[in-house]
Amino acid sequence: MKNQPSIEQALQTLKENGLKYTKKREAMIAYLAKANRYVPAKELHEYMSEEYPGLSYDTIYRNLHDFSEIGILEETELNGEMKFRFHCCSHGVEHHHHHFICTICGKTKELSICPMDFFQDQLPGCTIESHRFEIFGRCEDCQPV
């Protein structure tokens, strides 16, 4: 599997952060790594329920939140719903970047330009501690016909 090394890294990160390895957690991570886009918890729950009937939505959501807290996943709010994506740095990309996110399918594209230099110049004497920058729109596959 193409993403296997990064999945293994994510599983190691679970262990390093005191989260127990389970087949369910591995399946969740593998699904998100393969999707390579922002995925709603509901979609992941539907997928996981096929293999693990009776698995609760709350369990899925709690794990997604935990994975996000330890840096395995990125999260964003899109159309009033939290969505989750396998962290880009888990794929070996260690550079600072932002994303274009399709509002229809959740596909993402990396943006290598960061607007923070402009904002830093506009805030003399201030210290920026963090930032988040995302562009939302329709990808080439989701354009209206």
Side-chain angles (χ1 to χ4, degrees), residues 3 14 25 27 36-38 40-42 48 53 62 66 72 76 81-82 101 115 118 122 124-125 129:
N3 293 321
L14 285 178
R25 285 180 171 159
N36 195 28
R37 61 182 170 83
Y38 281 95
K42 180 180 178 185
M48 293 293 292
R62 184 173 50 256
D66 289 346
I72 293 173
T76 193
E81 179 180 24
M82 289 304 296
I101 304 168
F118 170 79
Q122 302 295 311
E129 296 178 352

Side-chain angles (χ1 to χ4, degrees), residues 40-87:
K42 180 180 178 185
E43 177 183 325
L44 184 59
H45 180 251
E46 289 170 1
Y47 168 78
M48 293 293 292
S49 292
E50 292 175 15
E51 183 72 23
Y52 303 98
L55 183 62
S56 77
Y57 178 83
D58 288 344
T59 298
I60 295 291
Y61 200 84
R62 184 173 50 256
N63 276 281
L64 289 170
H65 178 73
D66 289 346
F67 295 170
S68 181
E69 286 289 309
I70 62 174
I72 293 173
L73 302 181
E74 299 172 15
E75 60 182 42
T76 193
E77 185 178 332
L78 184 59
N79 300 325
E81 179 180 24
M82 289 304 296
K83 296 194 179 187
F84 303 85
R85 178 183 196 275
F86 197 60
H87 198 289

Side-chain angles (χ1 to χ4, degrees), residues 46-142:
E46 289 170 1
Y47 168 78
M48 293 293 292
S49 292
E50 292 175 15
E51 183 72 23
Y52 303 98
L55 183 62
S56 77
Y57 178 83
D58 288 344
T59 298
I60 295 291
Y61 200 84
R62 184 173 50 256
N63 276 281
L64 289 170
H65 178 73
D66 289 346
F67 295 170
S68 181
E69 286 289 309
I70 62 174
I72 293 173
L73 302 181
E74 299 172 15
E75 60 182 42
T76 193
E77 185 178 332
L78 184 59
N79 300 325
E81 179 180 24
M82 289 304 296
K83 296 194 179 187
F84 303 85
R85 178 183 196 275
F86 197 60
H87 198 289
C88 292
C89 294
S90 299
H91 294 288
V93 178
E94 294 293 337
H95 67 280
H96 177 79
H97 66 279
H98 299 282
H99 294 116
F100 165 85
I101 304 168
C102 180
T103 57
I104 304 301
C105 71
K107 184 186 332 182
T108 63
K109 295 180 181 231
E110 286 185 23
L111 305 171
S112 59
I113 297 171
C114 178
M116 288 313 296
D117 291 337
F118 170 79
F119 292 114
Q120 186 65 52
D121 292 342
Q122 302 295 311
L123 299 166
C126 297
T127 301
I128 297 172
E129 296 178 352
S130 70
H131 70 279
R132 182 176 172 159
F133 181 75
E134 298 167 324
I135 297 176
F136 299 95
R138 291 179 183 226
C139 71
E140 59 279 354
D141 296 332
C142 295

